[in-house]
Amino acid sequence: QVQLVESGGGSVQAGDSLRLTCKASGGTFSPFAVGWFRQAPGSEREFVSAITWTGGKTDYTDSVTGRFTISKDNNEKTVYLQMNNLKPEDTGRYYCGAVQSSYGGAQYFENRYGVWGQGTQVTVSS
């Protein structure tokens, strides 16, 4: 049974950087993609970024393009999200998930993910 554990969140000032880590354990890990989503209080969980496990293709939501970078280490079964120039609107709980299907842009849709971590909180003050 694969488990995902996120780490690296914290409370920072606008313009600061954080690096989130998502580490898989507990079995064979070969998803189609690993994605990061975030959820602000009172809001739905939204797509932030994803990376395909084999090819390393990356996707970002428009609001983080140019500021966030997703990367992976297959040997360590770990995905990173480097977040630079953080803004208050980046505040939220960040979750990583693994999606098996590649059909129909599955990596963009929360309900297509089969495994989630517990999340890590990111708070950005102005």
Side-chain angles (χ1 to χ4, degrees):
Q1 189 95 3
V2 172
Q3 293 181 322
L4 301 177
V5 177
E6 303 96 331
S7 61
S11 296
V12 297
Q13 298 289 317
D16 286 349
S17 298
L18 284 173
R19 188 195 199 201
L20 305 185
T21 298
C22 171
K23 186 167 181 62
S25 64
T28 301
F29 189 64
S30 58
F32 165 67
V34 173
W36 287 96
F37 286 67
R38 65 188 178 193
Q39 187 168 21
S43 299
E44 294 185 352
R45 198 175 293 189
E46 64 171 357
F47 173 81
V48 176
S49 181
I51 187 166
T52 60
W53 194 245
T54 300
K57 178 182 179 296
T58 60
D59 290 287
Y60 301 92
T61 192
D62 288 346
S63 64
V64 308
T65 298
R67 301 188 297 121
F68 290 13
T69 303
I70 191 170
S71 61
K72 63 183 177 68
D73 183 332
N74 289 54
N75 290 332
E76 295 295 323
K77 296 192 289 186
T78 300
V79 173
Y80 305 98
L81 186 67
Q82 178 67 44
M83 306 187 296
N84 297 330
N85 190 21
L86 282 160
K87 302 177 180 181
E89 52 263 42
D90 295 317
T91 294
R93 192 161 186 86
Y94 284 68
Y95 299 88
C96 73
V99 58
Q100 293 299 130
S101 172
S102 62
Y103 180 74
Q107 66 267 35
Y108 302 111
F109 303 104
E110 176 192 0
N111 62 0
R112 304 294 295 276
Y113 282 69
V115 181
W116 290 99
Q118 83 290 347
T120 185
Q121 180 67 33
V122 172
T123 303
V124 185
S125 302
S126 58

